[in-house]
Amino acid sequence: MTRRTVVSGGVVVDGTGAARRRADLLLVDDRIDAVVDPGGLAGVEARHVDASGLVVAPGFIDIHSHADGSFLLAGDVSKILQGVTSEIVGNCGASLAPLGAATSHPTADRLVADGTRPSWQSVTELVEAGRDRHVTHVGMLVGHGTLRELVGGHATQAIDDHQRTAMCLALAAGLESGAFGLSSGLVYAPGVFAPESELQALVEVLGAEHVYATHLRNESDQLMESIEETLRTTATTDAHVQISHLKATGRRNHGSTATALRRLDRARADGRLIGQDVYPYTAASTALTACLPPWALAGGTMALLARLGDAGMVARLRTDVESAPPHLWENPVASAGWDGVVLAGTASGVDEGESLAAIADREGMDPFDVLVMIVRRESGRASMVEHSMSEDDVEHVLRHPHTVVASDGLPVTAGARPHPRLHGTFPRLLGRYVRERGVLDLETAIHRITGLPAHSYRLRDRGTIRRGAVADLVAFDPDTIADRATYDRPTLPPTGIAWVMQNGRTSVADGQWLGRRRGQHLTPHS
């Protein structure tokens, strides 16, 4: 039986960047069938939804998400409550497939709930494992780190020709199964050990319909060198290149996003397809082990823990971590200071929400010794929030016309004090940066989280309100929409969102998820 819904009385911001207008929508089954002037659907026999006083926009698209394992969890509704209807996972070089027959997959294991063992190996098997279990629609990238572990583990040396060929074949199989492209996380093991030639070989597997999303090798003292590496690596591809969460960390580097954007603009002027994304916060978040230099992470967690039990190795680590900048590796301690590195989550649940400096003061210890103690105590399973960026840089990147806003939200299993971006990114954009600070107008902001990411990731039928598009919609009050999640209380849901629809069916009403997992698997051009 045909399902008809009329959404009337609202102000439509269609995702293209065009001016808002009053319009009514006719939804037929899972598609938008008509967009007409107010009152034009008054006689249509259908379920009627009154959107008076609300903005009606396309469902938001989060192209940089780490919610890979959310389908395994009972109640991760952090994104749908923000109006996000579609997500791209597999970012920063870490994806849940393809996996080998080993019992441990360090890169992929970071993305799943504690104790969960994958029942899949290939991308096709992962898609099947998630069928009817996703809250949002989900597409994936294949992670470079996952590919490297598939063929060579955490080895620090360059992989051989046979291993490189195996990685390329595994990537091609993932793309054939519907993956959107490749991601890299070149600040993390094992990606940090990969030479440019390895990355270039993988990027050349991608076609014009694919994406290469990269967490740069360095976002602090070597930001520009890392951008140049990406431009060299992708020089021969027709794929869309996405610079993940563009930022400049460390006070000494504040302001350098302007230089980075000028360089990317020159590349765009030469015909390169390049975008960047940003989250609207001045703190980053990642594993606590990122505070250690790359050589300490070689070989995986057990090798790291062995080094931390060796006094000579620990002395060498102290020298590297506490040395004066600039650094050739990404050093969060140098960027944020001991007081700016705050524990987000630990396997034991101990010390969450406290900075390394505060723990050191409480325990009468040296902060570096606290870092080593926690990594050893938690067997490496600890995450952090890193306060190291400037508001001026965030706003500068936000204003750029090629910038997409995305959450970079870590899994809900990452601890009791996760970064608030997991629960607040999209309402924060529309409340703080549109209504309060005027950094963007509403139409531009909506475009940056709907039409622009849909275009970049080849989501043909999503991201705009038009006849024939999928009826993924969000309705919100522009005067009250806001994030409530803070660093102290990071899991508070937003306010101001009236309802969210997926495929023409209501998934959220009055701030409450209605309990139906309506998410579908996305592929390029879906």
Side-chain angles (χ1 to χ4, degrees), residues 325-341:
H327 297 101
L328 296 179
W329 63 285
E330 183 105 4
N331 185 342
V333 172
S335 293
W338 295 111
D339 60 342
V341 176

Side-chain angles (χ1 to χ4, degrees), residues 12-16 25 32 55-61 83-85 446-447 449-451 462-466 469-476 500-501:
V12 171
V13 178
D14 67 8
T16 66
L25 311 179
I32 299 171
V55 168
V56 179
F60 305 150
I61 301 171
V84 173
T85 54
I446 293 296
H447 175 61
I449 54 177
T450 58
R462 299 170 198 271
T464 58
I465 292 178
R466 57 175 173 78
V470 173
D472 288 349
L473 302 169
V474 55
F476 62 90
V500 180
M501 287 187 187

Side-chain angles (χ1 to χ4, degrees), residues 371-391:
L371 170 63
V372 172
M373 175 193 74
I374 293 172
V375 173
R376 293 186 67 185
R377 184 188 74 200
E378 307 295 337
S379 297
R381 291 163 55 197
S383 59
M384 66 177 177
V385 172
E386 173 197 337
H387 296 271
S388 60
M389 292 176 275
S390 79
E391 181 69 22

Side-chain angles (χ1 to χ4, degrees), residues 158-159 164 194-204 229 233:
I159 61 172
R164 182 181 301 177
E196 288 184 34
S197 57
E198 177 180 323
L199 297 164
Q200 185 173 8
L202 288 164
V203 168
E204 288 177 351
E229 176 188 25
T233 301

Side-chain angles (χ1 to χ4, degrees), residues 426-496:
F426 298 88
R428 182 176 177 84
L429 171 69
L430 300 176
R432 176 178 173 83
Y433 290 98
V434 172
R435 184 178 64 247
E436 296 175 9
R437 297 184 66 86
V439 174
L440 300 173
D441 61 46
L442 182 62
E443 289 84 351
T444 300
I446 293 296
H447 175 61
R448 303 289 186 82
I449 54 177
T450 58
L452 182 58
H455 175 76
S456 298
Y457 278 65
R458 314 300 196 265
L459 288 167
R460 179 180 59 198
D461 291 342
R462 299 170 198 271
T464 58
I465 292 178
R466 57 175 173 78
R467 189 174 189 273
V470 173
D472 288 349
L473 302 169
V474 55
F476 62 90
D477 184 341
D479 296 327
T480 64
I481 189 169
D483 62 312
R484 294 196 301 145
T486 66
Y487 292 104
D488 290 330
R489 302 182 68 190
T491 62
L492 292 175
T495 60

Side-chain angles (χ1 to χ4, degrees), residues 21 23 58 73 273 300 328 417 432 442 523:
R21 68 184 180 105
L73 303 173
L273 297 175
L328 296 179
R417 294 288 186 92
R432 176 178 173 83
L442 182 62
T523 58

Side-chain angles (χ1 to χ4, degrees), residues 127-148:
V127 170
E128 187 59 34
R131 190 174 303 279
D132 299 324
R133 300 174 71 182
H134 291 286
V135 173
T136 60
H137 307 310
V138 175
M140 71 170 286
L141 300 166
V142 175
H144 164 254
T146 301
L147 290 171
R148 204 171 210 268

